[in-house]
Amino acid sequence: MLEGLNNVGTGTLISMCVENDRQAKRLKREMDALKAELQIRGVQEMEDHNVKYVRYHSRNGNAAVAESMALDILNPDRLKEIVGAGVWEMKVKRSEEVKYKCNPKFEQMLKAVFTGDYSFEMTLDELFDQMSVVPDSRQRAVLRKKLKGDFKKDYETLRSVLAPGEDTAFEEELWYIYKIKNAELIRAFLPEELLDRTLEELRRCILVENKLSVTIDYDEEKED
Protein backbone atom coordinates (compact mmCIF):
# COMPACT_ATOMS: atom_id res chain seq x y z
CA MET A 1 0.00 0.00 0.00
CA LEU A 2 2.88 2.36 0.77
CA GLU A 3 4.87 1.49 -2.33
CA GLY A 4 5.03 4.08 -5.07
CA LEU A 5 3.93 7.00 -2.91
CA ASN A 6 6.06 9.31 -5.04
CA ASN A 7 3.52 8.78 -7.82
CA VAL A 8 0.49 9.59 -5.65
CA GLY A 9 -1.08 13.01 -5.95
CA THR A 10 -0.74 15.47 -3.07
CA GLY A 11 -4.50 15.61 -2.52
CA THR A 12 -4.64 11.83 -2.30
CA LEU A 13 -1.74 11.78 0.18
CA ILE A 14 -3.60 14.25 2.39
CA SER A 15 -6.78 12.17 2.18
CA MET A 16 -4.83 9.05 3.15
CA CYS A 17 -3.31 10.89 6.12
CA VAL A 18 -6.72 12.08 7.25
CA GLU A 19 -8.21 8.59 6.97
CA ASN A 20 -5.29 6.97 8.79
CA ASP A 21 -5.50 9.58 11.54
CA ARG A 22 -9.22 8.93 11.93
CA GLN A 23 -8.61 5.18 12.13
CA ALA A 24 -5.78 5.64 14.63
CA LYS A 25 -8.00 7.78 16.88
CA ARG A 26 -10.85 5.28 16.59
CA LEU A 27 -8.54 2.37 17.43
CA LYS A 28 -7.12 4.31 20.38
CA ARG A 29 -10.63 4.92 21.74
CA GLU A 30 -11.43 1.23 21.33
CA MET A 31 -8.12 0.21 22.96
CA ASP A 32 -8.72 2.58 25.88
CA ALA A 33 -12.19 1.10 26.39
CA LEU A 34 -10.89 -2.47 26.21
CA LYS A 35 -8.10 -1.74 28.70
CA ALA A 36 -10.53 0.06 31.00
CA GLU A 37 -12.78 -3.02 31.07
CA LEU A 38 -9.76 -5.23 31.80
CA GLN A 39 -8.81 -2.87 34.63
CA ILE A 40 -12.33 -3.02 36.07
CA ARG A 41 -12.28 -6.82 36.03
CA GLY A 42 -8.71 -6.92 37.30
CA VAL A 43 -9.42 -4.58 40.22
CA GLN A 44 -12.46 -6.63 41.20
CA GLU A 45 -10.44 -9.85 41.14
CA MET A 46 -7.55 -8.27 43.04
CA GLU A 47 -9.96 -7.08 45.73
CA ASP A 48 -11.70 -10.47 45.88
CA HIS A 49 -8.40 -12.36 46.27
CA ASN A 50 -6.42 -9.66 48.15
CA VAL A 51 -3.64 -9.52 45.54
CA LYS A 52 -2.08 -6.79 43.42
CA TYR A 53 -1.48 -8.70 40.18
CA VAL A 54 -3.78 -10.79 37.99
CA ARG A 55 -3.09 -12.40 34.65
CA TYR A 56 -5.59 -13.43 31.97
CA HIS A 57 -5.05 -15.80 29.06
CA SER A 58 -6.58 -16.22 25.61
CA ARG A 59 -5.73 -18.15 22.48
CA ASN A 60 -4.23 -14.99 20.95
CA GLY A 61 -2.21 -13.67 23.87
CA ASN A 62 -2.18 -12.67 27.52
CA ALA A 63 -3.06 -9.62 29.60
CA ALA A 64 -1.90 -8.61 33.06
CA VAL A 65 -3.45 -6.05 35.39
CA ALA A 66 -1.13 -4.74 38.10
CA GLU A 67 -1.28 -2.17 40.85
CA SER A 68 1.91 -0.13 41.04
CA MET A 69 2.93 2.60 43.45
CA ALA A 70 4.61 6.02 43.27
CA LEU A 71 6.65 7.18 46.25
CA ASP A 72 6.78 10.79 47.45
CA ILE A 73 9.14 11.73 50.30
CA LEU A 74 7.37 14.29 52.50
CA ASN A 75 9.94 14.71 55.26
CA PRO A 76 13.43 13.91 53.95
CA ASP A 77 15.24 15.15 57.06
CA ARG A 78 13.22 12.93 59.38
CA LEU A 79 13.48 9.99 57.00
CA LYS A 80 17.27 10.41 56.89
CA GLU A 81 17.35 10.47 60.69
CA ILE A 82 15.27 7.28 60.96
CA VAL A 83 17.13 5.12 58.42
CA GLY A 84 20.54 6.59 59.24
CA ALA A 85 22.85 8.88 57.29
CA GLY A 86 24.81 5.95 55.85
CA VAL A 87 21.78 4.26 54.26
CA TRP A 88 20.41 7.62 53.11
CA GLU A 89 23.61 8.68 51.36
CA MET A 90 23.98 5.29 49.66
CA LYS A 91 20.39 4.77 48.55
CA VAL A 92 18.97 8.24 47.85
CA LYS A 93 20.07 10.88 45.34
CA ARG A 94 18.86 14.48 45.30
CA SER A 95 18.19 15.86 41.83
CA GLU A 96 18.51 19.49 40.76
CA GLU A 97 14.75 20.10 40.93
CA VAL A 98 14.84 18.95 44.58
CA LYS A 99 13.37 15.53 44.00
CA TYR A 100 14.65 12.45 45.71
CA LYS A 101 15.43 9.37 43.66
CA CYS A 102 15.78 6.24 45.75
CA ASN A 103 17.65 3.06 45.02
CA PRO A 104 14.99 0.62 43.67
CA LYS A 105 15.26 -1.81 46.60
CA PHE A 106 15.17 0.99 49.15
CA GLU A 107 12.13 2.49 47.38
CA GLN A 108 10.42 -0.90 47.36
CA MET A 109 11.04 -1.18 51.09
CA LEU A 110 9.54 2.27 51.79
CA LYS A 111 6.48 1.53 49.66
CA ALA A 112 5.94 -1.73 51.52
CA VAL A 113 6.20 0.05 54.89
CA PHE A 114 3.57 2.61 53.83
CA THR A 115 1.10 0.07 52.43
CA GLY A 116 1.72 -2.68 54.98
CA ASP A 117 2.49 -5.13 52.20
CA TYR A 118 5.02 -7.21 54.11
CA SER A 119 4.94 -10.33 56.26
CA PHE A 120 7.37 -11.60 58.88
CA GLU A 121 5.18 -14.62 59.54
CA MET A 122 6.48 -16.88 56.76
CA THR A 123 9.77 -17.61 55.00
CA LEU A 124 10.15 -18.51 51.34
CA ASP A 125 10.82 -22.16 52.22
CA GLU A 126 7.67 -22.30 54.33
CA LEU A 127 5.74 -20.86 51.39
CA PHE A 128 7.30 -23.42 49.01
CA ASP A 129 5.93 -26.23 51.24
CA GLN A 130 2.39 -24.88 50.79
CA MET A 131 2.42 -24.18 47.04
CA SER A 132 0.14 -25.99 44.63
CA VAL A 133 3.27 -27.11 42.80
CA VAL A 134 5.81 -27.92 45.55
CA PRO A 135 9.37 -27.29 44.29
CA ASP A 136 12.07 -29.89 44.91
CA SER A 137 15.46 -29.03 46.44
CA ARG A 138 17.06 -28.04 43.12
CA GLN A 139 14.11 -25.88 42.12
CA ARG A 140 14.13 -24.20 45.54
CA ALA A 141 17.78 -23.28 45.13
CA VAL A 142 16.97 -21.52 41.85
CA LEU A 143 13.86 -19.81 43.22
CA ARG A 144 15.69 -18.46 46.28
CA LYS A 145 18.16 -16.72 43.99
CA LYS A 146 15.77 -15.45 41.32
CA LEU A 147 12.61 -14.39 43.18
CA LYS A 148 12.73 -10.62 43.81
CA GLY A 149 9.24 -9.48 44.79
CA ASP A 150 8.43 -8.24 41.28
CA PHE A 151 5.10 -9.71 40.15
CA LYS A 152 5.84 -9.98 36.44
CA LYS A 153 9.43 -11.22 36.76
CA ASP A 154 8.54 -13.62 39.54
CA TYR A 155 5.65 -15.00 37.49
CA GLU A 156 8.04 -15.77 34.64
CA THR A 157 10.46 -17.36 37.11
CA LEU A 158 7.80 -19.57 38.71
CA ARG A 159 6.43 -20.56 35.34
CA SER A 160 9.83 -21.43 33.86
CA VAL A 161 10.98 -23.37 36.93
CA LEU A 162 7.77 -25.08 38.05
CA ALA A 163 5.37 -25.16 35.09
CA PRO A 164 7.20 -24.69 31.76
CA GLY A 165 4.82 -24.47 28.82
CA GLU A 166 1.77 -24.04 31.06
CA ASP A 167 -0.33 -20.99 31.94
CA THR A 168 -0.47 -21.55 35.70
CA ALA A 169 -1.45 -18.25 37.34
CA PHE A 170 0.46 -18.49 40.68
CA GLU A 171 -1.49 -15.39 41.82
CA GLU A 172 -1.65 -16.25 45.52
CA GLU A 173 1.97 -17.40 45.57
CA LEU A 174 3.11 -14.18 43.88
CA TRP A 175 1.34 -12.11 46.54
CA TYR A 176 3.05 -13.96 49.39
CA ILE A 177 6.43 -13.84 47.66
CA TYR A 178 6.01 -10.07 47.29
CA LYS A 179 5.27 -9.64 51.00
CA ILE A 180 8.07 -11.97 52.12
CA LYS A 181 10.67 -10.23 49.95
CA ASN A 182 9.47 -6.86 51.25
CA ALA A 183 9.92 -8.10 54.82
CA GLU A 184 13.45 -9.19 53.94
CA LEU A 185 14.20 -5.68 52.65
CA ILE A 186 12.80 -4.11 55.82
CA ARG A 187 15.07 -6.26 57.95
CA ALA A 188 18.02 -5.48 55.67
CA PHE A 189 17.60 -1.70 55.90
CA LEU A 190 16.18 -1.14 59.39
CA PRO A 191 17.42 -2.10 62.86
CA GLU A 192 15.49 -4.90 64.58
CA GLU A 193 15.27 -2.95 67.83
CA LEU A 194 11.98 -1.05 68.19
CA LEU A 195 11.08 -2.02 64.61
CA ASP A 196 7.33 -1.41 64.96
CA ARG A 197 7.95 2.11 66.23
CA THR A 198 10.40 2.77 63.40
CA LEU A 199 7.89 1.59 60.80
CA GLU A 200 5.24 3.92 62.23
CA GLU A 201 7.68 6.84 62.11
CA LEU A 202 8.55 6.06 58.49
CA ARG A 203 4.90 6.16 57.44
CA ARG A 204 4.73 9.77 58.57
CA CYS A 205 7.62 10.75 56.28
CA ILE A 206 6.36 9.39 52.96
CA LEU A 207 3.31 9.19 50.71
CA VAL A 208 2.53 6.38 48.27
CA GLU A 209 -0.02 6.71 45.46
CA ASN A 210 -1.43 3.66 43.70
CA LYS A 211 -1.60 3.34 39.91
CA LEU A 212 -3.13 0.69 37.65
CA SER A 213 -1.51 -0.69 34.52
CA VAL A 214 -2.61 -3.14 31.83
CA THR A 215 -0.03 -4.95 29.71
CA ILE A 216 -0.82 -7.05 26.65
CA ASP A 217 1.53 -9.83 25.52
CA TYR A 218 1.23 -11.62 22.21
CA ASP A 219 3.25 -13.06 19.35
CA GLU A 220 3.79 -10.12 17.00
CA GLU A 221 4.76 -12.41 14.13
CA LYS A 222 1.48 -14.31 14.29
CA GLU A 223 -1.67 -12.86 12.76
CA ASP A 224 -5.23 -14.22 12.80
Side-chain angles (χ1 to χ4, degrees), residues 113 118 120 186 190-204:
V113 169
Y118 56 86
F120 299 115
I186 290 172
L190 302 178
E192 196 72 31
E193 185 180 1
L194 299 175
L195 182 58
D196 289 341
R197 180 177 176 181
T198 301
L199 296 177
E200 185 59 37
E201 286 287 325
L202 280 176
R203 293 185 188 103
R204 298 174 184 172

Side-chain angles (χ1 to χ4, degrees), residues 154-178:
D154 288 350
Y155 168 76
E156 296 299 336
T157 296
L158 290 177
R159 185 182 177 191
S160 63
V161 174
L162 299 179
E166 300 180 16
D167 287 328
T168 306
F170 293 115
E171 289 171 0
E172 186 173 353
E173 290 90 342
L174 288 169
W175 175 235
Y176 280 109
I177 290 167
Y178 174 68

